[in-house]
């Protein structure tokens, strides 16, 4: 019994060990890595926005699916936000419009997946392509939409560059999203049913629960969470760039699946996803400071993902949970 118990502990904390190892490695090798300015940069520039998108992805994977259109939700939110601000609408109303724009992507996915019965992978892949084309049409071939410096409201700037009690607003928003997602997924009936759907959808169906409704709500929630990033990103750079949200997609998927190693049963979970995002952020920053070519940085990130997943899988297997 001692060996499986030990392996179970390794399986859960392989991610923590990997994070500690890369942190120690870059602290020793990368000049300036431990400086306060650099660590804050990791949190604001490498962690905050990706964490929100990865949390959205965690809900989709928890429910037994995946959402390849989270970047499209980011983009639609950004476009709606910028357009409404340019039209002279109050920032609060423009932000609500941005969230609604992102939620529409989720509603479209919900119709395809829960209504028609298309698999999540194919449905959201189609949404990604449709969303990219719509953005090209709305911007005359993909031209950025700029906000003139003189016409940017102070409340708009505050969302991307402001601070409360010395803490950057993007980090505060990220913390609120993470805390809310943990409560929903771990402490509410909806979260438990979503997890059960991902584990055994047929059981949920035979239990009398309305599986299509649960699935639809999940994908709308996923896109709404991702839409928050559209608001922050736009208020940070004061420009909407078509299809820029897709830059978060692969790392969000990677962080979510890295995070499954933090759960003894290999299931998606909010704390694991947050640690996965932090791991990817630390590695990206450390490799950059080390002066490696960008393409080697991508190779290093990919190898790290493989390593963490392989160690987690091997340890769960040794513990008899695979």
């Amino acid at each position: 019994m001692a060996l499986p118990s030990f392996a179970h502990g390794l399986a859960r904390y392989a991610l923590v060990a990997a994070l500690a190892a890369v942190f120690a490695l870059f602290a020793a090798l990368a000049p300036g890595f431990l400086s306060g300015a650099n660590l804050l940069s990791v949190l604001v520039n490498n962690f905050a926005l990706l964490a929100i998108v990865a949390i959205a992805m965690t809900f989709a994977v928890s429910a037994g699916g995946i959402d390849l259109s989270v970047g499209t939700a980011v983009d639609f939110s950004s476009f709606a936000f910028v357009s409404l601000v340019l039209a002279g609408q109050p920032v609060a109303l423009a932000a609500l419009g941005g969230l609604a724009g992102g939620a529409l992507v989720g509603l479209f996915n919900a119709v395809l997946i829960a209504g028609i019965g298309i698999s999540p992978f194919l449905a959201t892949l189609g949404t990604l392509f449709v969303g990219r084309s719509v953005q090209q049409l709305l911007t005359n071939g993909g031209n950025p939409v700029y906000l003139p410096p003189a016409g940017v409201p102070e409340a708009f700037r505050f969302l991307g560059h402001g601070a409360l009690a010395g803490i950057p607003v993007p980090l505060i928003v990220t913390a609120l999203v993470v805390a809310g997602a943990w409560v929903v997924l771990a402490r509410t009936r909806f979260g438990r049913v979503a997890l059960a759907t991902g584990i055994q959808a047929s059981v949920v169906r035979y239990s009398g629960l309305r599986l299509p409704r649960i699935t639809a709500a999940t994908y709308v929630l996923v896109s709404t969470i991702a839409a928050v990033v559209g608001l922050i990103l736009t208020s940070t750079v004061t420009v909407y760039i078509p299809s820029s949200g897709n830059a978060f997609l692969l790392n969000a998927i990677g962080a979510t699946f890295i995070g499954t190693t933090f759960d003894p049963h290999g299931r998606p979970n909010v704390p694991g996803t947050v640690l996965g995002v932090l791991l990817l952020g630390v590695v990206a920053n450390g490799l950059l400071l080390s002066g490696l070519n960008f393409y080697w940085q991508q190779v290093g990130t990919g190898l790290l993902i493989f390593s963490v997943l392989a160690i987690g899988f091997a340890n769960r297997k040794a513990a008899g949970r695979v």
Side-chain angles (χ1 to χ4, degrees):
M1 295 295 293
L3 182 58
S5 177
F6 176 70
H8 167 242
L10 284 178
R12 181 163 190 182
Y13 297 109
L15 175 54
V16 177
L19 180 58
V22 298
F23 197 93
L25 176 66
F26 290 126
L29 299 180
F33 177 77
L34 288 180
S35 68
N38 182 65
L39 294 179
L40 181 62
S41 174
V42 170
L43 292 175
V44 174
N45 299 321
N46 297 92
F47 173 78
L49 300 188
L50 177 58
I52 296 175
V53 179
I55 288 297
M57 186 66 70
T58 299
F59 275 97
V61 177
S62 295
I66 195 167
D67 192 341
L68 302 179
S69 65
V70 287
T72 303
V74 172
D75 292 330
F76 274 45
S77 169
S78 176
F79 178 77
F81 192 28
V82 166
S83 298
L84 289 170
V85 170
L86 283 173
Q89 298 298 325
V91 172
L93 181 61
L96 289 175
L99 293 177
L104 282 176
V105 176
L107 186 60
F108 185 68
N109 286 332
V111 171
L112 296 177
I113 298 168
I116 301 176
I118 301 174
S119 72
F121 179 87
L122 294 177
T124 58
L125 180 63
T127 301
L128 187 157
F129 286 125
V130 170
R132 182 180 299 171
S133 297
V134 169
Q135 292 176 72
Q136 297 288 324
L137 292 170
L138 291 174
T139 57
N140 296 318
N143 294 314
V145 179
Y146 295 93
L147 281 171
V152 178
E154 188 59 34
F156 184 92
R157 294 182 187 276
F158 181 77
L159 183 58
H161 297 281
L164 293 173
I167 304 174
V169 170
L171 278 181
I172 294 174
V173 174
T174 301
L176 291 174
V177 170
V178 168
W182 180 81
V183 170
V184 170
L185 203 56
R187 298 296 185 211
T188 68
R189 181 176 181 271
F190 172 79
R192 289 191 293 269
V193 173
L195 285 168
T197 302
I199 297 168
Q200 192 65 271
S202 59
V203 173
V204 174
R205 186 181 296 107
Y206 293 141
S207 297
L209 297 173
R210 296 182 177 180
L211 186 57
R213 179 178 294 182
I214 296 165
T215 301
T218 299
Y219 280 93
V220 172
L221 178 62
V222 167
S223 292
T224 303
I225 294 174
V228 174
V229 172
L231 305 183
I232 300 175
L233 181 63
T234 304
S235 60
T236 301
V237 299
T238 65
V239 61
Y240 157 72
I241 302 175
S243 299
S244 58
N246 289 330
F248 296 103
L249 176 60
L250 294 182
N251 280 346
I253 295 174
T256 300
F257 282 97
I258 286 175
T260 62
T261 64
F262 193 66
D263 182 86
H265 303 285
R267 296 167 187 162
N269 61 97
V270 171
T273 295
V274 171
L275 289 173
V277 173
L278 190 57
L279 179 63
L280 293 179
V282 168
V283 169
N285 178 263
L287 290 175
L288 180 64
L289 291 178
S290 299
L292 284 180
N293 180 284
F294 171 77
Y295 299 106
W296 282 112
Q297 294 175 34
Q298 297 295 94
V299 171
T301 301
L303 290 175
L304 178 67
I305 293 174
F306 288 143
S307 300
V308 173
L309 290 175
I311 292 171
F313 179 82
N315 288 331
R316 285 200 306 274
K317 187 175 182 181
R321 294 182 180 273
V322 178

